[in-house]
Amino acid sequence: MSEPEAADTRSALLTAARRLLADHGIEPVSLRSVARAAGARNVGAVQYHFGNRDGLVRAVMAPYQAAVEIRRDALLDEYQASGGSAVLPLAAALVRPWAAELATVEGRQYLRILGHALGQIPPMEDLLTSASLVRWRDLLEPLLSPNAVRLHRRFTSLRFAAYELAARARIDPSRDNRLFESQLIDLVAGLLLAPVSDETRRRALSRTAPAPAPRPAGQDRDRAAAERSPRS
């Protein structure tokens, strides 16, 4: 296969995979189905270019992830340059770089794949450890209560935003997204700053409390025997 033919095949595979992953999620999409949809002769073409399904998913998402990283870093730069100390602009720095992808068909497909990738268990680690998201989490931490940090509010808000954007990406693309975007930023900020109730705090503490030490072997049996014996 010539170099131009290989490039064309790779492009066709990425286009087919992006559509299938957006429509069906990650687990149901096989390498064989991608090869068939792309018009490739066999599944070996996918393995040749991407190795396995994880490699294919990463390759599909890579150009959109790169653009999101640039946009988020720019917003975080502005936040730090202004001496920011509020949660709302950081909520915007999470949402707006993703929301910009609603403008194109391919971007909406990316957002739907993002929702699938963060919804699976475990979620795709690459998406949670990108440089801009690590920076975002670090800037947020001092603004949150210790309980909010302990209860993983940052991850919850991140996944909530991705789910909402994935759902939005499925509807009429001609709709104006400005109100949706602003409302989503408000919701993310509210989720990050929501008070932790006494009940949630108690339950969280009970999960982190050390388990009682095991009793020495035979202790329960000796105690029961003592209780059965006549008292002097």
Side-chain angles (χ1 to χ4, degrees), residues 15-232:
T15 299
R18 189 176 60 242
R19 177 176 56 80
L20 290 172
L21 292 167
D23 289 346
H24 303 293
I26 295 173
E27 285 299 320
V29 175
S30 66
L31 299 186
R32 189 174 303 279
S33 66
V34 172
R36 188 182 306 116
R41 295 174 184 173
N42 56 60
V43 70
V46 187
Q47 294 169 328
Y48 172 79
H49 286 284
F50 308 107
N52 54 28
R53 185 169 55 188
D54 284 350
L56 176 62
V57 174
R58 289 186 178 92
V60 167
M61 300 185 75
Y64 308 95
Q65 286 288 107
V68 166
E69 287 285 293
I70 291 170
R71 289 192 288 264
R72 184 171 291 125
D73 272 328
L75 291 173
L76 295 177
D77 287 344
E78 291 177 14
Y79 173 82
Q80 291 186 285
S82 67
S85 59
V87 166
L88 188 63
L90 289 175
L94 176 69
V95 172
R96 291 195 192 281
W98 279 334
E101 296 298 335
L102 290 167
T104 67
V105 172
E106 296 80 7
R108 290 192 297 275
Q109 289 173 335
Y110 155 75
L111 290 172
R112 290 160 64 184
I113 299 169
L114 179 71
H116 293 308
L118 290 179
Q120 67 182 18
I121 300 174
M124 284 187 68
E125 189 70 19
D126 299 4
L127 301 176
L128 302 175
T129 56
S130 71
S132 74
L133 281 180
V134 170
R135 186 182 175 196
W136 176 80
R137 288 199 301 270
D138 289 346
L139 289 170
L140 257 177
E141 183 165 356
L143 306 180
L144 304 180
S145 71
N147 283 315
V149 173
R150 186 179 305 116
L151 291 166
H152 309 293
R153 286 282 179 84
R154 288 168 294 179
F155 172 68
T156 303
S157 63
L158 186 156
R159 188 161 58 177
F160 169 73
Y163 284 174
E164 288 296 305
L165 285 156
R168 185 72 174 187
R170 291 183 175 89
I171 67 172
D172 181 2
S174 66
R175 297 183 65 172
D176 188 334
N177 292 308
R178 288 175 294 181
L179 174 59
F180 163 80
E181 185 177 323
S182 180
Q183 166 81 336
L184 183 56
I185 291 168
D186 291 346
L187 290 171
V188 167
L191 180 56
L192 290 165
L193 292 172
V196 177
S197 69
D198 290 340
E199 180 181 358
T200 299
R201 190 179 298 110
R202 284 197 304 272
R203 292 185 182 278
L205 289 173
S206 69
R207 288 186 61 182
T208 57
R215 292 175 177 173
Q219 183 176 2
D220 288 341
R221 185 174 61 251
D222 295 344
R223 181 178 178 181
E227 289 174 349
R228 287 195 301 268
S229 64
R231 299 180 182 273
S232 56

